[in-house]
Amino acid sequence: MKKALVTGITGQDGVYLAEHLLSQGYDVFGMIRGQNNPRRATVEQAIPQAHIIDGDLLDQGSLIAAISKTQPDEVYNLGAISFVPLSFKQPELTGEVTGLGVTRMLEAIRIVNSKIRFYQASSSEMFGAAKTSPQNEATPFHPRSPYGVAKVYGYYITLNYREAYGIFACNGILFNHESPRRGLDFVTRKISRAAARIKLGLEKKLKLGNLEARRDWGFAGDYVRAMHLMLQQPQPDDYVIGTGESHTVRDFCNAAFRHLGLDWREHVVQDQEFTRPSEVDTLCGDSSKARRILGWEPSVRFPDLVRMMVEADLADLKHEMGPRAASRPSR
Ligand code: NAP
Ligand code: F7E
């Protein structure tokens, strides 16, 4: 039975990836940081078959200990400070976790067993202010946030350990991927949650920043399949993963509210608080290489993704409200 160690198991992708690896017959170890991490219980409930192991990307010794103890065949490094606005507020910590954390994990692999295969969660945010569209593996990087800069460092250190030490290390350059498990602050989930709350009469307004930003949004469940496929190839390589379609934040609002019979223009207000010191205006992924070599295809398109997220938030809120949901006047 193959063994995989996953950092960031408490995040959106960590849970989907663990489920996928378990379905492929893996023994899965999920790394959790901190004392009394509040998300530990959620992971234990969602994926009870996964084993929890302590560790922190800020702590080299804990990574060496985790690798020595679990002796994995594959390591998936999903742990990061991943919220772009937080990276502007805490740029140094972002560099430590999202950037140097990759080096610490690669060092742990090099020291304990350099045959372990390594996946690095690289990001389309590395392209930032790209001059060409769509972006592929050859597009130059121009990150626009401390997060994007830290991911560029993580990308290159992964490449360097491949070239210097022959480690089977791959970068998955993933465009935005979403789901009902997406963190509540990311724009898609913020919109789906608010639309559902407004529908149920729990809220009236939704404050957003730049409505013109354009992203290539896919479904997280599809994207974790690509991570696994990268580590099953005969040679390590880097792959762009996206749908090839992009939409604005405004489009997402329109689709989400319309699905509930609402007009987004009556509810969405713009607020400077949610604009960024420097923005990534538009991103769109060209995944031809992944389609050709990995045989990877996304299965969920934009309208279905929006529907999936809105429906899940509505069901979740109704469940939380109990009988109150039926008696409350909805919009
Ligand atoms: P997420 O939901 O924000 O999860 C981030 C994970 O990192 C959490 O489990 C968090 O654990 C963990 N983490 C934070 N600080 C850590 C530390 N010091 N040591 C160890 N773990 C730490 O992110 P996601 O959306 O699942 O994304 C997974 C990865 O893919 C991230 O690296 C992200 O940057 C990257 N990525 C995401 C997207 C996307 O669209 N989702 C696209 C491209 C790349 P706690 O629960 O302890 O905070
Ligand atoms: O913003 C705009 C915002 O925070 C998307 C992370 O997973 O994907 C994610 O990064 C766009 C931006 O994601 C609000 O300005 C408008 O242009 O959902 P987001 P992100 O910054 O694209 C990449 C690939 C990653 O790797 C990251 O880890 O939406 N926007 N109004 C807003 N964004 C937020 N969060 N909140 C707003 O109110």
Side-chain angles (χ1 to χ4, degrees):
M1 184 188 264
K2 271 199 196 174
K3 287 190 277 183
L5 175 65
V6 180
T7 71
I9 191 90
T10 60
Q12 169 189 256
D13 291 7
V15 178
Y16 280 109
L17 177 64
E19 284 175 346
H20 181 62
L21 294 173
L22 287 164
S23 79
Q24 301 293 307
Y26 279 68
D27 207 7
V28 176
F29 296 84
M31 187 181 283
I32 294 206
R33 69 179 171 131
Q35 260 182 299
N36 304 321
N37 188 319
R39 295 160 93 186
R40 185 184 186 118
T42 318
V43 170
E44 283 171 345
Q45 202 187 358
I47 30 174
Q49 310 94 310
H51 314 283
I52 302 296
I53 178 128
D54 291 316
D56 195 313
L57 288 166
L58 294 171
D59 186 309
Q60 179 73 74
S62 73
L63 302 182
I64 294 174
I67 301 247
S68 303
K69 190 166 172 195
T70 58
Q71 294 290 332
D73 301 283
E74 298 168 7
V75 169
Y76 294 85
N77 186 40
L78 310 185
I81 288 182
S82 79
F83 190 49
V84 171
L86 181 63
S87 80
F88 282 105
K89 290 183 184 141
Q90 300 185 357
E92 184 184 341
L93 186 63
T94 302
E96 283 287 349
V97 178
T98 305
L100 272 176
V102 188
T103 305
R104 293 192 190 98
M105 184 53 94
L106 284 162
E107 270 296 273
I109 289 173
R110 187 183 67 78
I111 291 164
V112 179
N113 174 6
S114 60
K115 294 280 176 277
I116 293 170
R117 295 187 170 204
F118 178 76
Y119 172 86
Q120 168 56 14
S122 285
S123 166
S124 53
E125 282 294 295
M126 302 189 303
F127 296 125
K131 290 196 176 62
T132 52
S133 185
Q135 294 83 41
N136 65 21
E137 294 78 6
T139 306
F141 298 143
H142 183 155
R144 296 268 290 166
S145 64
Y147 169 78
V149 173
K151 283 287 181 188
V152 170
Y153 173 87
Y155 170 92
Y156 279 117
I157 201 71
T158 299
L159 190 58
N160 181 248
Y161 272 59
R162 183 159 88 210
E163 292 173 358
Y165 304 115
I167 292 177
F168 193 109
C170 300
N171 284 289
I173 307 174
L174 272 48
F175 282 65
N176 299 51
H177 45 279
E178 320 293 314
S179 74
R181 288 176 175 150
R182 187 58 143 152
L184 290 166
D185 288 330
F186 296 92
V187 78
T188 54
R189 186 77 197 286
K190 189 173 166 184
I191 297 167
S192 65
R193 191 79 175 175
R197 285 179 65 80
I198 290 168
K199 180 69 184 175
L200 292 172
L202 296 170
E203 202 121 62
K204 286 199 164 49
K205 296 289 177 200
L206 165 61
K207 289 182 186 173
L208 292 175
N210 178 13
L211 300 179
E212 306 312 325
R214 191 172 267 282
R215 290 289 184 279
D216 177 341
W217 281 299
F219 171 52
D222 283 338
Y223 287 43
V224 299
R225 284 191 287 111
M227 299 175 186
H228 175 246
L229 284 169
M230 287 176 212
L231 296 199
Q232 312 316 309
Q233 301 309 305
Q235 298 300 329
D237 208 341
D238 309 314
Y239 298 90
V240 159
I241 302 294
T243 69
E245 250 186 56
S246 74
H247 297 269
T248 61
V249 171
R250 185 189 296 273
D251 294 336
F252 200 103
C253 288
N254 187 20
F257 280 79
R258 202 181 46 210
H259 182 63
L260 296 174
L262 301 169
D263 183 344
W264 71 276
R265 289 167 299 187
E266 290 174 15
H267 303 284
V268 172
V269 286
Q270 277 190 279
D271 187 328
Q272 275 296 105
E273 189 194 333
F274 299 105
T275 61
R276 300 175 180 184
S278 49
E279 171 69 300
V280 172
D281 295 323
T282 177
L283 288 174
C284 187
D286 169 6
S287 297
S288 325
K289 179 176 168 183
R291 287 171 196 255
R292 197 176 66 251
I293 298 176
L294 305 178
W296 179 84
E297 293 277 348
S299 74
V300 178
R301 296 199 48 203
F302 179 75
D304 301 318
L305 177 67
V306 179
R307 265 198 296 278
M308 179 203 298
M309 293 179 70
V310 171
E311 288 292 336
D313 272 319
L314 195 63
D316 189 36
L317 288 167
K318 281 185 177 167
H319 179 73
E320 268 175 32
M321 290 168 75
R324 272 192 311 141
S327 58
R328 219 176 154 100
S330 74
R331 298 253 335 163

